[in-house]
Amino acid sequence: MFKAAISSVIAGVSSLGVAASPVLAQAPGPIVYSVVVPAGEFGSAAYLAELLGTLAAAKAFCRATGDSALQVDCLSERLETAADGIPQGTDYDEVRGVLQDTSARLKRLARQNRDPGRGRVTVTSSANPAERTARPLTPVSAAAQAAVNQEAARILEEAATVLLRSAEAAQERQTQYAQIAEAIDSNKVLLRS
């Protein structure tokens, strides 16, 4: 009887394993993956590429709005989104802090110079309707736009400088921080058009 009971348990466990496999394999929904940035060895090349891609996409997204009055706050929102995507407690904590600070300064600049004749708007990507701003953007008044763009360019330059200076202290960060600083600084192109 003892052998029969064990055989029944083994057969039951075996059938559970077979029944569970197709259910797991057919689970609906998107695939979610996490990028782990190892502590101690400064960030991975794959994560750096992802971050640089996010910063380049910010420029493309904001350019695609076609509305120069929205550029400063669009950059603010996209940098905020990029910062929110950086996991806490990694080698990129300083980068996240610089992006958050830069985003807050750009947002404040846009709001202080808003166009009173226009309301805030949420922007959706024409290339990918699922991609949209996480918050409505504040348009800058036409009269203040040149001065605001100049100040925004200065804020972006300062962010790049902070990253480059902080990288001087740690050799392993220099190359990666230089690439991130260049990606941030390249967003100034939007402010000149």
Side-chain angles (χ1 to χ4, degrees):
M1 176 153 170
F2 185 71
K3 280 186 171 180
I6 290 188
S7 295
S8 295
V9 170
I10 291 172
V13 170
S14 296
S15 66
L16 283 177
V18 171
S21 295
V23 173
L24 293 175
Q26 297 175 7
I31 296 173
V32 177
Y33 67 95
S34 297
V35 177
V36 177
V37 182
E41 313 164 14
F42 189 76
S44 71
Y47 188 75
L48 174 65
E50 181 181 329
L51 181 57
L52 294 175
T54 298
L55 294 172
K59 182 171 46 178
F61 180 87
C62 293
R63 178 178 287 132
T65 66
D67 188 346
S68 60
L70 297 175
Q71 299 304 306
V72 171
D73 203 26
C74 183
L75 283 174
S76 167
E77 188 274 339
R78 295 282 94 185
L79 292 178
E80 181 180 359
T81 300
D84 290 346
I86 298 174
Q88 291 185 353
T90 67
D91 290 332
Y92 289 95
D93 281 344
E94 189 169 5
V95 173
R96 187 179 64 253
V98 168
L99 291 175
Q100 287 171 332
D101 178 63
T102 303
S103 170
R105 291 175 67 195
L106 291 172
K107 179 196 261 183
R108 188 171 38 254
L109 180 64
R111 289 189 176 174
Q112 288 170 344
N113 294 282
R114 70 178 183 81
D115 185 341
R118 290 182 60 185
R120 296 175 66 209
V121 296
T122 299
V123 177
T124 302
S125 169
S126 58
N128 178 6
E131 185 180 5
R132 61 182 339 174
T133 55
R135 62 173 171 77
L137 304 179
T138 303
V140 172
S141 72
Q145 196 166 349
V148 166
N149 285 356
Q150 187 174 16
E151 178 63 16
R154 190 183 65 71
I155 290 169
L156 292 171
E157 285 174 13
E158 283 180 17
T161 301
V162 166
L163 285 174
L164 290 172
R165 284 190 182 146
S166 65
E168 290 174 359
Q171 183 67 33
E172 70 272 6
R173 294 181 187 183
Q174 283 184 345
T175 303
Q176 290 192 12
Y177 272 31
Q179 290 175 344
I180 295 167
E182 184 179 322
I184 291 170
D185 198 52
S186 73
N187 285 300
K188 292 187 308 188
V189 170
L190 284 173
L191 305 170
R192 293 185 183 129
S193 42

